[in-house]
Amino acid sequence: MVATKETIDKVKEVSSTYKYGFVTDLEAEKAPIGLNEDIVKFISHKKKEPKWLLEWRLKAYKKWLSMEAPNWAMVDFPKINFQDIYYYSAPKAKPKLNSLDEVDPELLRTYEKLGIPIKEQEVLAGVAVDYVFDSVSVATTFREKLAKEGIIFCPISEAVQTHPDLVKKYIGSVIPIGDNYYAALNSAVFTDGSFVYIPKDVKCPMELSTYFRINEQNSGQFERTLIIAEDNTYVSYLEGCTAPQRDENQLHAAVVELVAMDNAEIKYSTVQNWYPGDKDGKGGIYNFVTKRGNCIGKKSKISWTQVETGSAITWKYPSCVLKGDDSVGEFYSVAVANNAQQADTGTKMIHIGKNTKSTIISKGISAGKAQNTYRGQVQIQKNAKGSRNFTQCDSLLIGDKCGAHTVPYINQFTPHARVEHEATTSKISEDQLFYCLQRGLDTEQATSLIVNGFCKEVMKELPMEFAVEAQKLIGISLEGSVG
Amino acid sequence: MPLLEIKNAKLKLDNKDILKGLSLSVNEGEVHAIMGPNGSGKSTLSYMLAGRDGYELESGEVFLEGQSLSEMEADERARSGLFLAFQYPVELPGVGGMSFLREAVNSRRKFIGEEELDHLAFVKEVRKVASKMFVKDEMLKRAVNVGFSGGEKKRFEILQMAMLKPTVSILDETDSGLDVDALKIVSEGVNSQRNEDNAIVVITHYQRLLDYIVPDFVHILSDGRIIKSGGPELALEVEKNGYAGLINAA
Ligand SMILES: Nc1ncnc2c1ncn2[C@@H]1O[C@H](COP(=O)(O)OP(=O)(O)OP(=O)(O)O)[C@@H](O)[C@H]1O
Ligand SMILES: [Mg+2]
């Protein structure tokens, strides 16, 4: 059933409801504005990096210079001036990495405002958290307990110092420096991010988590995460992101690489809540992210779950390369776009090994004037006999000024495989809203309930603690979208 | 003061007169039955009372416990104690029955200044009520009304009513689609909620329901007006002779 004229008319402009839009007053140490070889050297020097990494960065920088920004996504924004961005910004009060007590109290308060008091979370949730604030990693909790299992969970800048062989072996092994424009940029200027190594036969006993926050004005955040899971392992990792409310756009160009060996399983969940800009599309984060996992080993499994509610523009396609026989790739996504937000997101499932399986469940919700595109590629290569893919893309429209688009690419090079694709588009009906209101729920509650119902298949893939938070976020980001 | 008072209600849909000056007074402890031919305006009346968008009165007024409803939105009316059991309950895909009910119950409790129920207390309460209505746990775990049979939907409506403890309930053809046993169960569910402080309006086509839920008053609605009111014997008359005689006499 279609929403009536009245409802649509009442699709009001939302006053800015971004509750994470505060700025923390910390003195920051910045590199000069703009990008050139010296900036790349500056970052590498700041991080006391070995020569090979500096050379790797410089190679990436040269590659980036020779590339063009991609323009095939269904997003529209003015050309980014890369000389107008700070590429390195660290809070000046030097963070001590091992002891929470020594973390700048101002910073701790910031995280409290975000609803994640470090100490409390450490004790209560049993979640190990790495906090990345602008360009540096501030504190990693629970490290000792993890170390007992032989698990390495630390800022990648630290791993470069302490485990250079592992970093050297795997960095860029999943996403080569020249993979795409933003990945090349990230490779040249990445500042920090998380590093996770799960040794053979270890099941990680807790959720690992990173919290990203962009604080500094005009600063880009270029984090780089690398997760390696050896044979017979399991790890579940979650990242959350916020940024203060600012009038100008800020760039976030991250790279995440996952490597899964025989029988290894990596579950990677994202709750992305970067500042989306105001209702007219002023400000907000450009979220241009490259995420890919290599299922190298037999029976390995990589599962991406994402709840994307923030950012002015989202451009990301977490993907799986299914090399190992019987390996499994999964992509569960909820993308909410309200007001002037634009989201072009999806996945790539590249089936190379035999009997590989992939599942794609995408739920797109559009409200206001937002545009929401699912773009997904399923490729079954010649030797991937017995492989299967199932894709389901559902779009929910709220109001009649928004748009939903589904762009599937299917390349199948063997007849001995099965690829299925289903797509639906629906609206929140007047009947559904009235039914909820008649039971005493207000419009916001009703919308949130119906939308969360629509996303349920994806939400149930999130770790419990975060599912509740994600549900609330979806409600908040749609506030005011229904009359 | 009546719990529900409708004064000369007139309402147009799509420029067509549907309610043409309807008045009705319902007091504490009373059960009223409204009967009338298809298309006479019964569901329209119930939507108007519940405050559905597009069902605003053209003239006339409605009072719930003496308070005018004209400025109140649908959700506020519901929280104030007005309940509508839908003729066609609506499906909410992915929305679990338990969590839906809990949000509803807590909205109402918060509004009337009662403490919200925590998860455990709520589940206990639902189980108690549900077992009386022979609603299985399994049904509460499913998405609201999705894939429910006609009878299950109606039973779930009455379960919601029992949980929300409304002051005024309007049951729009709650008996349609029920088998003999379900009719009995649902009627008992409704009867168990009758008390001196609330009131129930049942809309039905069949006298059979009124054998179970015995009304104090029966009203005949025709062409947007109540053309005759009486006791339970009026329903028997309709059953025997149909509406034609009554309408002609009016
Ligand atoms: N949106 C609308 N626009 C125009 N006319 C409408 C609209 N909705 C309902 N009507 C008309 O209003 C009249 C009353 O409908 P209503 O559903 O209230 O009848 P009812 O008494 O509940 O009937 P039934 O016994 O079949 O349930 C009918 O003639 C119907 O066609
Ligand atoms: Mg009707």
Side-chain angles (χ1 to χ4, degrees):
Chain A
M1 212 166 279
V2 173
T4 66
K5 184 79 168 52
E6 260 109 335
T7 306
I8 293 155
D9 284 346
K10 280 189 207 156
V11 174
K12 289 177 233 146
E13 353 79 295
V14 189
S15 59
S16 196
T17 47
Y18 191 71
K19 83 173 192 211
Y20 303 104
F22 52 85
V23 181
T24 301
D25 206 6
L26 290 167
E27 245 192 292
E29 190 183 6
K30 283 191 242 180
I33 200 161
L35 184 55
N36 53 49
E37 259 191 36
D38 287 340
I39 294 291
V40 176
K41 285 179 188 157
F42 175 91
I43 294 168
S44 188
H45 178 75
K46 269 279 164 204
K47 306 238 159 221
K48 302 190 178 62
E49 284 175 356
K51 200 156 165 265
W52 67 263
L53 190 50
L54 173 61
E55 276 160 14
W56 190 80
R57 284 177 181 276
L58 289 171
K59 206 167 123 198
Y61 176 67
K62 286 206 184 81
K63 181 83 199 171
W64 178 72
L65 285 178
S66 74
M67 295 172 91
E68 292 281 341
N71 60 4
W72 42 262
M74 212 175 283
V75 294
D76 185 25
F77 59 97
K79 216 168 142 63
I80 298 171
N81 182 355
F82 289 93
Q83 298 307 336
D84 230 11
I85 296 173
Y86 287 102
Y87 288 83
Y88 183 86
S89 161
K92 216 169 198 171
K94 201 82 183 143
K96 299 272 194 322
L97 291 175
N98 283 311
S99 162
L100 281 177
D101 296 333
E102 288 164 61
V103 171
D104 189 324
E106 192 62 33
L107 206 54
L108 289 181
R109 272 193 290 277
T110 302
Y111 289 123
E112 263 166 51
K113 274 196 246 173
L114 291 169
I116 40 157
I118 302 184
K119 290 181 194 191
E120 222 168 82
Q121 192 158 26
E122 187 175 10
V123 180
L124 292 177
V127 176
V129 183
D130 186 19
Y131 295 85
V132 178
F133 198 85
D134 285 339
S135 303
V136 292
S137 194
V138 180
T140 305
T141 58
F142 261 121
R143 296 172 68 173
E144 278 161 44
K145 186 165 175 200
L146 293 169
K148 278 202 196 95
E149 307 267 358
I151 294 169
I152 306 165
F153 177 40
C154 66
I156 197 163
S157 57
E158 193 182 321
V160 168
Q161 309 297 334
T162 54
H163 302 88
D165 297 346
L166 281 174
V167 177
K168 193 171 178 181
K169 182 169 173 193
Y170 289 107
I171 195 168
S173 73
V174 185
I175 301 170
I177 51 174
D179 186 81
N180 69 70
Y181 189 74
Y182 298 108
L185 177 63
N186 174 288
S187 303
V189 302
F190 77 89
T191 38
D192 222 329
S194 292
F195 177 82
V196 177
Y197 179 80
I198 314 287
K200 209 164 169 239
D201 299 324
V202 170
K203 312 267 179 253
C204 185
M206 62 182 75
E207 307 280 344
L208 301 183
S209 169
T210 302
Y211 216 91
F212 294 111
R213 176 159 175 87
I214 295 180
N215 196 58
E216 199 58 38
Q217 199 156 2
N218 293 331
S219 72
Q221 187 156 14
F222 304 94
E223 86 266 359
R224 185 143 193 134
T225 292
L226 178 57
I227 300 178
I228 301 144
E230 296 282 12
D231 294 353
N232 307 313
T233 52
Y234 171 82
V235 60
S236 169
Y237 182 92
L238 184 124
E239 62 171 19
C241 340
T242 58
Q245 210 160 322
R246 296 196 189 280
D247 284 347
E248 63 284 348
N249 295 104
Q250 284 177 288
L251 178 63
H252 173 248
V255 168
V256 175
E257 297 178 284
L258 312 182
V259 179
M261 303 304 186
D262 286 357
N263 262 314
E265 178 174 350
I266 303 176
K267 191 172 163 54
Y268 193 105
S269 316
T270 305
V271 175
Q272 185 267 111
N273 181 32
W274 296 118
Y275 177 53
D278 72 8
K279 62 180 169 39
D280 301 317
K282 190 160 194 229
I285 300 289
Y286 291 162
N287 190 33
F288 300 157
V289 170
T290 309
K291 290 180 171 175
R292 194 174 305 153
N294 265 358
C295 280
I296 294 177
K298 290 194 184 93
K299 294 200 165 129
S300 56
K301 177 174 173 183
I302 287 179
S303 179
W304 299 100
T305 305
Q306 60 174 25
V307 175
E308 305 276 327
T309 63
S311 296
I313 300 176
T314 296
W315 179 97
K316 77 179 262 207
Y317 314 89
S319 305
C320 298
V321 181
L322 305 171
K323 284 189 186 137
D325 290 348
D326 300 296
S327 60
V328 176
E330 294 175 337
F331 175 73
Y332 300 98
S333 169
V334 170
V336 181
N338 193 6
N339 297 317
Q341 279 178 280
Q342 307 174 63
D344 193 305
T345 182
T347 183
K348 277 192 269 187
M349 293 290 174
I350 312 296
H351 293 253
I352 299 172
K354 290 187 183 57
N355 301 314
T356 47
K357 273 207 260 337
S358 64
T359 304
I360 300 171
I361 310 281
S362 160
K363 306 277 181 177
I365 298 135
S366 323
K369 301 173 288 192
Q371 294 298 323
N372 206 333
T373 302
Y374 166 82
R375 187 182 303 277
Q377 181 184 24
V378 175
Q379 192 186 96
I380 314 269
Q381 298 195 354
K382 216 167 87 210
N383 293 324
K385 293 192 176 64
S387 292
R388 289 212 310 261
N389 161 267
F390 174 74
T391 301
Q392 186 183 324
C393 290
D394 298 320
S395 306
L396 185 69
L397 302 174
I398 303 176
D400 63 356
K401 292 187 185 68
C402 53
H405 317 274
T406 302
V407 192
Y409 306 87
I410 298 167
N411 318 106
Q412 191 173 338
F413 300 105
T414 168
H416 309 288
R418 204 167 79 216
V419 177
E420 288 172 80
H421 180 97
E422 288 174 10
T424 66
T425 300
S426 54
K427 286 192 165 198
I428 293 188
S429 79
E430 192 79 1
D431 281 346
Q432 289 175 325
L433 268 179
F434 175 59
Y435 190 72
C436 294
L437 293 181
Q438 211 304 302
R439 296 304 183 249
L441 310 187
D442 62 31
T443 310
E444 320 269 60
Q445 269 177 304
T447 311
S448 168
L449 207 65
I450 295 168
V451 170
N452 274 300
F454 170 78
C455 307
K456 195 170 192 178
E457 284 162 279
V458 174
M459 301 302 260
K460 73 176 176 14
E461 296 296 326
L462 281 178
M464 249 319 263
E465 305 88 313
F466 303 110
V468 179
E469 184 64 28
Q471 269 183 24
K472 282 193 208 133
L473 265 183
I474 289 176
I476 291 169
S477 54
L478 287 172
E479 260 170 32
S481 62
V482 176
Chain B
M1 172 183 63
L3 281 188
L4 178 71
E5 187 165 28
I6 307 170
K7 285 184 174 167
N8 200 20
K10 291 188 185 165
L11 182 152
K12 275 191 170 75
L13 290 176
D14 232 8
N15 256 327
K16 196 176 128 201
D17 292 315
I18 309 289
L19 301 183
K20 303 177 179 173
L22 187 151
S23 298
L24 181 67
S25 230
V26 180
N27 293 303
E28 287 176 342
E30 292 178 352
V31 171
H32 291 237
I34 295 179
M35 303 180 83
N38 294 130
S40 55
K42 303 182 298 297
S43 293
T44 305
L45 170 67
S46 67
Y47 288 152
M48 180 277 286
L49 291 171
R52 184 171 189 150
D53 265 358
Y55 287 76
E56 292 78 18
L57 283 182
E58 198 188 15
S59 67
E61 220 169 353
V62 181
F63 298 91
L64 182 70
E65 296 186 82
Q67 193 183 0
S68 167
L69 291 185
S70 60
E71 294 299 313
M72 279 162 84
E73 298 288 341
D75 52 332
E76 221 184 321
R77 297 183 191 194
R79 290 192 292 268
S80 308
L82 185 84
F83 180 85
L84 169 62
F86 284 58
Q87 182 173 2
Y88 304 107
V90 182
E91 298 186 0
L92 302 176
V95 179
M98 211 52 128
S99 40
F100 178 70
L101 249 174
R102 188 170 158 216
E103 284 216 36
V105 167
N106 280 337
S107 300
R108 169 118 166 91
R109 291 180 76 99
K110 203 158 95 189
F111 186 82
I112 59 179
E114 280 179 27
E115 209 179 316
E116 291 181 45
L117 292 178
D118 66 30
H119 185 67
L120 273 177
F122 176 78
V123 169
K124 230 175 111 187
E125 179 74 15
V126 177
R127 292 233 165 96
K128 206 172 76 195
V129 178
S131 70
K132 279 193 211 142
M133 224 100 55
F134 298 95
V135 171
K136 289 194 206 89
D137 254 25
E138 178 263 340
M139 204 168 114
L140 292 167
K141 283 184 192 134
R142 284 160 62 182
V144 175
N145 292 322
V146 177
F148 287 16
S149 74
E152 284 170 339
K153 284 182 183 166
K154 297 301 172 82
R155 242 187 282 178
F156 187 58
E157 292 291 289
I158 301 308
L159 171 66
Q160 294 180 60
M161 172 182 167
M163 289 299 298
L164 290 165
K165 303 190 176 67
T167 335
V168 173
S169 304
I170 299 140
L171 314 184
D172 192 358
E173 295 199 28
T174 299
D175 55 336
S176 67
L178 292 184
D179 65 36
V180 198
D181 296 330
L183 181 66
K184 223 171 135 184
I185 293 162
V186 165
S187 304
E188 276 164 18
V190 174
N191 284 331
S192 71
Q193 294 175 58
R194 283 177 84 157
N195 65 40
E196 283 311 305
D197 303 316
N198 64 16
I200 300 169
V201 177
V202 293
I203 295 171
T204 183
H205 286 293
Y206 304 107
Q207 135 70 22
R208 193 185 48 171
L209 174 71
L210 305 180
D211 284 341
Y212 293 105
I213 305 174
V214 182
D216 301 294
F217 301 95
V218 174
H219 310 277
I220 308 299
L221 179 63
S222 169
D223 196 23
R225 275 188 208 97
I226 288 177
I227 54 163
K228 189 164 185 181
S229 297
E233 73 288 345
L234 188 54
L236 288 166
E237 196 186 325
V238 168
E239 179 91 342
K240 223 169 109 198
N241 305 324
Y243 292 110
L246 291 167
I247 292 169
N248 290 338

